[in-house]
Amino acid sequence: MKNRLSSNLLFGLAAATFFAMPALAQEAEATAKGPEVKFSGEVEFDAYTGDVINDDLQGHTYASTFDLNVDVKFNEKWSASVQLEADGETTDPMAIYNGAFVQYTHNEKLAVKFGDLTFSEGAFLNYYDYDDPADNAAGMTEHDIRGVEVDFSGLVVGLGFGRGDNDNQVCTEEDGEEECVGVAYDAHIAYELGLGEHVLRPYVDYKSYQEAEHNELHAGLDANLNFGVFGLHAVYGLHAEYLGEDTPDPTHAFLAEPSLALGRINVKGSVFYAYFDEDAPTIHDDEIPEYFFAYAEPSVSVFESLALGIPLEYHTNTKDKNDDLSTFNLGVRAYFTPIEGLEVTGFAMVDIPVGDDADDAGLNLGLETVFSF
């Protein structure tokens, strides 16, 4: 009896080992292969004419962008990412390191990143000419840091040292040699609140240069509201600097971007207004491109891969209300998407002067090609 039990036991162990071998082999093979690596990115190459009506010598300009992301997954908890970027108004921009970070994902609600991080808020989503948050934003253009970010149930908290254009250099000279160090640091807090189909995102960003009264504050609300065929993106942005000083005074920015989708017909628009103090305004480079503009573009899908739009635009073209540089722009835009991941946009725009100091009416053409992978 004992011999029979022993035989059955040995047979069972052998069978279990035999059937487990493929799974163990697969696990060993996955371990041997190492981490999973995924490449993705986007390429854009554009060409534009000058004013084909008034320019004696017909000029042209370019813009080129190349973004490459390398994502590494070590296991279910640990991952990392590195980005390379080339961007410029030329045909051969130089590719540079654009940041890297490591991420630990505890669960669906909690994740921690550390490394090179970027924060931006209240970007222009509808208007094509200001939709790069690296250059323009109603809330806050991109702030790059090297530090840590914690994401917990919609709450984002980031803290780190400024890097790149978000840093500030202090230089000293010793023995005829100049040495420079970065001194800026940045703290960012945002909370993404979902209310059914609507999303509200209040945010605060504080940046210090470690100088007396020299700091920046961005705060506001970014709202995305969805009512079926009608949507609304709205932003309020407060831009302040030199906190504690009487001047300059904060700038207040307001953005409303409605959109309507009715079958083949789509309408999108942007209305933006920024209040600058006349005597002592807060101006952060081109973060806010002009103090007022309005844009609307109805479009229709001619085919599945082709849509035509008619942009109608009014621009003040200045941050100073005393300048009279306003124009009314209109034209046609063609959107060609023959396959997912490839977009070609061609346009012709006429600029009609409205203000007394605006340039003469002109015609500009352009072709933009974007593909992602």
Side-chain angles (χ1 to χ4, degrees):
M1 185 68 177
K2 289 183 179 179
N3 291 335
R4 183 179 298 177
L5 288 174
S6 299
S7 299
N8 290 340
L9 180 60
L10 291 173
F11 178 78
L13 289 174
T17 302
F18 176 78
F19 287 111
M21 285 179 63
L24 293 173
Q26 290 178 359
E27 183 176 349
E29 183 180 359
T31 302
K33 286 183 178 179
E36 298 178 13
V37 180
K38 178 183 177 182
F39 295 88
S40 62
E42 184 175 275
V43 177
E44 178 173 356
F45 50 94
D46 309 327
Y48 308 98
T49 70
D51 185 348
V52 299
I53 296 177
N54 299 311
D55 293 348
D56 295 331
L57 185 64
Q58 294 303 318
H60 53 260
T61 58
Y62 302 111
S64 306
T65 301
F66 168 65
D67 291 319
L68 176 63
N69 305 314
V70 182
D71 297 311
V72 181
K73 183 179 179 180
F74 300 102
N75 56 33
E76 295 301 320
K77 298 290 187 180
W78 290 94
S79 60
S81 180
V82 62
Q83 299 89 37
L84 298 177
E85 179 185 59
D87 186 24
E89 296 182 356
T90 176
T91 57
D92 55 351
M94 182 179 295
I96 59 174
Y97 168 87
N98 195 39
F101 65 83
V102 172
Q103 176 169 316
Y104 170 74
T105 304
H106 184 68
N107 52 39
E108 293 182 356
K109 293 185 177 181
L110 176 63
V112 179
K113 297 178 184 178
F114 59 92
D116 298 323
L117 309 169
T118 299
F119 302 101
S120 64
E121 302 288 352
F124 296 95
L125 300 183
N126 284 357
Y127 183 52
Y128 58 90
D129 208 24
Y130 297 153
D131 62 356
D132 187 348
D135 300 321
N136 312 117
M140 184 188 80
T141 52
E142 292 180 353
H143 281 196
D144 298 324
I145 70 167
R146 175 162 288 184
V148 62
E149 173 188 333
V150 179
D151 300 341
F152 178 71
S153 294
L155 176 66
V156 177
V157 179
L159 177 65
F161 302 115
R163 63 182 179 95
D165 293 336
N166 193 42
D167 206 353
N168 187 49
Q169 298 286 318
V170 171
C171 300
T172 58
E173 186 172 335
E174 293 184 6
D175 300 329
E177 294 185 0
E178 186 180 55
E179 294 185 357
C180 299
V181 295
V183 295
Y185 66 84
D186 205 307
H188 192 87
I189 300 176
Y191 181 65
E192 197 158 292
L193 175 63
L195 299 172
E197 296 294 320
H198 314 305
V199 178
L200 304 179
R201 183 182 173 92
Y203 64 89
V204 176
D205 188 279
Y206 173 82
K207 177 181 175 182
S208 172
Y209 294 92
Q210 300 191 62
E211 297 179 11
E213 310 296 342
H214 193 178
N215 39 33
E216 291 181 15
L217 177 68
H218 295 266
L221 176 67
D222 189 326
N224 280 284
L225 310 178
N226 188 348
F227 303 98
V229 298
F230 177 76
L232 177 64
H233 174 230
V235 177
Y236 164 70
L238 170 72
H239 307 258
E241 60 184 7
Y242 292 97
L243 302 180
E245 294 287 330
D246 294 333
T247 57
D249 289 331
T251 293
H252 303 272
F254 305 89
L255 173 66
E257 295 190 306
S259 59
L260 180 66
L262 295 172
R264 290 178 172 267
I265 299 175
N266 292 272
V267 182
K268 62 181 180 178
S270 296
V271 179
F272 175 76
Y273 177 78
Y275 171 77
F276 292 95
D277 183 80
E278 293 185 1
D279 298 324
T282 293
I283 299 176
H284 293 143
D285 299 321
D286 294 325
E287 184 166 46
I288 296 175
E290 53 186 318
Y291 77 85
F292 175 75
F293 79 88
Y295 156 79
E297 182 177 345
S299 63
V300 59
S301 296
V302 181
F303 307 110
E304 184 177 352
S305 61
L306 178 65
L308 298 177
I310 301 176
L312 308 169
E313 308 172 18
Y314 174 81
H315 294 273
T316 55
N317 298 310
T318 179
K319 302 175 189 178
D320 189 344
K321 294 181 181 179
N322 296 318
D323 294 337
D324 197 8
L325 301 172
S326 56
T327 58
F328 178 72
N329 307 342
L330 74 160
V332 61
R333 292 174 62 85
Y335 304 92
F336 180 53
T337 54
I339 194 171
E340 183 179 357
L342 174 60
E343 301 176 3
V344 182
T345 303
F347 66 86
M349 291 293 296
V350 176
D351 302 340
I352 302 173
V354 177
D356 293 336
D357 300 325
D359 294 333
D360 295 334
L363 172 64
N364 300 280
L365 310 175
L367 184 67
E368 302 171 340
T369 303
V370 182
F371 66 87
S372 56
F373 55 91

